[in-house]
Amino acid sequence: MAIDRRNFLIGSVALLGAATASRRAFAAGALGPSADFVSAARLADGSYAVLLIADDGSLVREIPLSTRGHDIAIDRGRRRAAAFARRPGYFAVAFDLDGRGEPHVVTPEDNRHFFGHGAFSHDGRLLYTSENDIDLGTGVIGIYETSGWRRIGEFSSFGIGPHEALLLADGRTLAIANGGFATEPSSGREPINLSAMEPSLCFVDVETGELKAKHLLPAALHLLSIRHLAADAAGGVWFGGQWQGSLEAAPELIGMASRDRPIKIIEPAEPQGVALKGYIGSVSISADGRVLAASAPRAGRIIYSDTATGKVLRTVLLDDGCGIAPAAGRESEGWAFAMTSGHGVLHVEGLSGAEAPDRTFGGVEFDNHLRRIAPLV
C-alpha cells in the first residue's frame, strides 16, 4: 500500500505543474465562456483530467490528474472544486473553477483512503470526505479545512464502505450512502464480506458527529449496495443501488428516504432491475425538483422518474451513459438533463427528446459523474 500511495502522490504533485501551465494559458481574459459542467475523464492519449465544459458543449479548460478520477465536489460560493481519485483513492485535487490560483493536492491520513466522493460545507470553509479506516475496516467522514487543505478531524459514517455523502439544505445534516461491504487496499476494489453486507443510508449532524437516523434495507435486499445520492425539494434523499448478487435475481435499484422516513424502494409498473443490469451509476434531480434521472451504464439507459409518484416517465438510450446533471431546457418543460458517456458523448435531454445536437469529444471517455457548477434558477 505504501508504494501505491507514494506513486499516487508523486504523480499528482508532478501534474500540478501541468495544471498551473493550463491555468496560465487561459489567464489574462483568455478563459472564453464560463464553465457550466465538470467531469473527470480519460483523454485520447491515455492520460486523465478534469474537464470543464460550457453549456454550448465547448471545452473551457482541463485540469490534469495522475490517475483515474471519480466525482467532483463543488463549492459554488467560492467558485472552487475538488476532484477525487477513484476508490481506493489517495488524493483529491482542489482547484479554482475560473483558473485563478494554484491547484492543491489533498491527501488522507496514512491509514485512510478516499472512496471518491466529498461535499463542501455551505460556507466553503470545510470539505467532508468519505473514507475507509483501513485498520478497522469501518467508514469515516474526514474533515478538512479549505484555507490550507489540512485534515482537522473525522466522525463515523456509521457503516462500512461509505460512498457518496451529500450535505442537505439545512447545511448541517450529511446524508451518507454506506455501500455495506468492506475492501482492502491489497485487494483493490474487490468486496471481501458480501455475506455480511449491511448497506445503509445515514443522516449525521456534521457539527457534532451525532447519528440522527440510520435506515437499513430489508434483509432480502442486503446485497443491494447503496452508492449514489440526490436530494429533492421536499427533503427526500434518493439513492441508486448496485446489486452484488446474481443478475437474474436483481431487484429494483432506486429508492428514497429522509431523516424521518424509512427507505422506500420504488416499484415501477414493469420490473426494471434485471433490464438495468443490476447497476445504477449516478442519480440527479432536475432543477425544479420534479424529476429524478438515474443512469444504468451497463444497460445503456437513463431512467426518468417522477419524484412525487415514482412513476417512470421516460427511458433514454445512451451507450455507457453514466454522468447526469441538471441542464437548461425548454421553458414549456421546465427541466432537462445533461448526460455524458464513456464514449465521449455529451447529450442534453428533456421530456420530449434531445434539446441540442450531441457533442462528441473524440477519444475522450467520461467517468461516472457529471456535475453542474452553477445552479439553474
Side-chain angles (χ1 to χ4, degrees):
M1 183 194 74
I3 294 175
D4 288 343
R5 179 185 177 89
R6 183 172 181 272
N7 286 341
F8 272 131
L9 298 182
I10 288 174
S12 298
V13 172
L15 279 175
L16 286 185
T20 300
S22 173
R23 177 183 63 83
R24 288 171 180 161
F26 283 91
L31 276 170
S34 62
D36 296 288
F37 300 102
V38 59
S39 176
R42 183 179 186 270
L43 305 183
D45 63 2
S47 64
Y48 296 93
V50 174
L51 303 185
L52 288 91
I53 302 168
D55 257 333
D56 64 5
S58 61
L59 178 62
V60 175
R61 191 156 55 100
E62 298 178 8
I63 304 292
L65 298 176
S66 61
T67 189
R68 183 174 174 181
H70 191 63
D71 197 13
I72 298 98
I74 307 293
D75 174 9
R76 292 189 172 101
R78 301 190 186 189
R79 297 286 297 175
R80 299 180 298 181
F84 290 86
R86 189 186 192 216
R87 72 171 177 91
Y90 294 98
F91 74 88
V93 174
F95 59 93
D96 186 276
L97 288 164
D98 299 316
R100 296 180 293 264
E102 307 294 336
H104 299 268
V105 173
V106 185
T107 61
E109 294 184 342
D110 286 344
N111 62 334
R112 303 285 189 268
H113 71 69
F114 293 136
F115 276 109
H117 289 268
F120 284 93
S121 61
H122 286 184
D123 62 10
R125 293 189 305 107
L126 300 174
L127 176 67
Y128 304 105
T129 63
S130 56
E131 301 182 11
N132 187 27
D133 181 327
I134 296 169
D135 294 337
L136 298 179
T138 56
V140 298
I141 301 298
I143 309 171
Y144 298 76
E145 55 84 17
T146 61
S147 60
W149 303 106
R150 180 174 59 91
R151 195 178 197 277
I152 60 173
E154 68 179 31
F155 52 83
S156 176
S157 78
F158 297 94
I160 294 175
H163 204 65
E164 185 160 7
L166 180 68
L167 189 64
L168 301 186
D170 64 5
R172 183 160 177 167
T173 304
L174 193 71
I176 304 168
N178 287 303
F181 59 77
T183 56
E184 294 178 347
S186 60
S187 60
R189 296 168 56 80
E190 290 300 314
I192 58 177
N193 73 332
L194 290 184
S195 62
M197 272 184 66
E198 188 180 81
S200 63
L201 179 57
C202 292
F203 295 82
V204 178
D205 187 320
V206 296
E207 294 189 11
T208 66
E210 179 183 355
L211 178 66
K212 295 300 185 181
K214 181 173 184 176
H215 302 309
L216 301 174
L217 290 169
L221 296 178
H222 82 101
L223 293 179
L224 182 60
S225 182
I226 298 176
R227 305 301 281 278
H228 296 115
L229 304 175
D232 65 27
V237 175
W238 294 75
F239 66 83
Q242 297 175 4
W243 180 244
Q244 304 299 312
S246 61
L247 178 57
E248 60 271 17
E252 300 309 315
L253 306 170
I254 299 168
M256 66 88 65
S258 69
R259 178 172 160 178
D260 302 319
R261 289 178 289 171
I263 289 174
K264 176 184 178 181
I265 300 295
I266 304 305
E267 301 282 351
E270 297 183 7
Q272 298 275 342
V274 175
L276 300 179
K277 305 294 185 184
Y279 187 97
I280 296 297
S282 183
V283 293
S284 182
I285 297 287
S286 62
D288 62 7
R290 295 189 298 113
V291 179
L292 171 81
S295 64
R298 295 179 179 178
R301 299 185 184 188
I302 313 288
I303 303 296
Y304 297 161
S305 298
D306 188 312
T307 56
T309 65
K311 178 183 177 182
V312 174
L313 302 173
R314 180 179 170 84
T315 298
V316 179
L317 301 181
L318 182 63
D319 191 23
D320 199 22
C322 196
I324 323 170
R330 299 177 185 142
E331 282 188 25
S332 60
E333 293 185 345
W335 62 269
F337 290 98
M339 51 200 77
T340 50
S341 82
H343 301 295
V345 174
L346 173 65
H347 178 79
V348 179
E349 180 82 20
L351 181 60
S352 61
E355 298 285 333
D358 289 353
R359 171 68 188 270
T360 300
F361 295 78
V364 168
E365 299 173 10
F366 285 108
D367 217 281
N368 293 58
H369 299 287
L370 178 70
R371 297 297 178 187
R372 184 162 191 91
I373 292 172
L376 291 164
V377 291

